[in-house]
Amino acid sequence: MKKSLLVLSLLAAAATQAQAYQTEVMGEVGFAEDVTTAALGATYYFAPVTVKDQPHEEAAFLNRNSSVGVAVGYMDIDGVGDSTVVGAALDYFVPASQFYVGASLAKSTESDTPTVYGLNVGFLPVNGLLLTAGVVGATSTDTTDSTSDAVVGAKYVAKLASGNFYNLEGEVGFGDGKPVTIGGDYYVDNTFGIGAAYSDNLDNDFKRDGTFEVRAKKFLSPMMAIGGSVSTTDGDVGVAVNWTGRY
């Protein structure tokens, strides 16, 4: 009997370990009219992320796991040429508190291009809700002036009476560019989510050129997922597929 209990305990411990990860790698390729894109990114969590009875996609956020990440993006436009962008990001949940700090940087490898940056501070009044405020902008170049926007945002992940989770998030800017991003996801179960997002920016001609996206992601296991999206920008349709691995 004691041996059986010991075996069961070891199996339970192994199963728990299999549900935790500390590194996440993501790759994506996209295709639109005359445009091909590709991206590769990696995120390292300062402590293991345990996947509990919650959407696998939201595990790190709901558990308040801090992380640092890097990414490389590539774009090839027919008749124009290609470009590469590198970036880094930090998400830090201050231990034993309800505060959050986020930062990001991105830069094209082409000459005379701005560095795009973002800095946010946040507060989590209840579990699953993050309220942020900060600034996003771009540095000046030989041909463009610097830009900056004060931004406020929110992300909320909660459970419906049915037991299914949902995610709502958005950010609004006030300044040079007035960026707006809103999105949401419904989790059919903890492994599969479907959602939509809209992003826009008020350009110098006071015209809107927004992007609408429909997306889905399925975890084949707690450690691996595949996903895809269809988007439209000013009448141009784009399709992307992605893969996520956790270790």
Side-chain angles (χ1 to χ4, degrees), residues 182-198:
I182 57 174
D185 301 277
Y186 173 76
Y187 294 99
V188 179
D189 56 36
N190 289 341
T191 69
F192 180 51
I194 54 176
Y198 179 77

Side-chain angles (χ1 to χ4, degrees), residues 63-231:
N63 298 343
R64 301 187 184 183
N65 284 90
S66 299
S67 66
V68 62
V70 295
V72 178
Y74 172 81
M75 176 182 293
D76 182 23
I77 303 176
D78 291 349
V80 177
D82 57 7
S83 62
T84 301
V85 175
V86 295
L90 170 72
D91 289 295
Y92 186 70
F93 295 89
V94 181
S97 79
Q98 294 173 279
F99 296 99
Y100 161 88
V101 178
S104 64
L105 284 173
K107 172 71 173 177
S108 172
T109 56
E110 294 183 355
S111 60
D112 194 31
T113 56
T115 298
V116 179
Y117 61 88
L119 179 63
N120 283 292
V121 294
F123 181 70
L124 298 102
V126 296
N127 288 336
L129 174 62
L130 173 63
L131 306 175
T132 60
V135 60
V136 296
T139 60
S140 62
T141 68
D142 293 340
T143 57
T144 61
D145 295 329
S146 62
T147 62
S148 64
D149 286 88
V151 293
V152 294
K155 178 178 174 68
Y156 185 48
V157 179
K159 183 187 290 188
L160 297 169
S162 63
N164 300 87
F165 283 81
Y166 64 92
N167 165 57
L168 298 174
E169 55 189 292
E171 188 174 76
V172 180
F174 308 91
D176 296 324
K178 300 179 178 64
V180 177
T181 301
I182 57 174
D185 301 277
Y186 173 76
Y187 294 99
V188 179
D189 56 36
N190 289 341
T191 69
F192 180 51
I194 54 176
Y198 179 77
S199 60
D200 209 340
N201 204 295
L202 189 62
D203 63 24
N204 293 329
D205 295 327
F206 298 98
K207 297 177 181 178
R208 290 279 172 172
D209 186 19
T211 297
F212 178 74
E213 175 189 72
V214 177
R215 62 198 181 199
K217 192 169 188 177
K218 170 66 177 179
F219 278 83
L220 306 177
S221 76
M223 302 298 122
M224 185 173 67
I226 55 175
S229 65
V230 178
S231 62

Side-chain angles (χ1 to χ4, degrees), residues 21-47:
Y21 63 95
Q22 199 161 357
T23 303
E24 183 174 271
V25 179
M26 187 277 290
E28 181 178 87
V29 292
F31 307 92
E33 185 176 356
D34 300 326
V35 180
T36 301
T37 61
L40 180 65
T43 301
Y44 176 77
Y45 295 92
F46 301 155

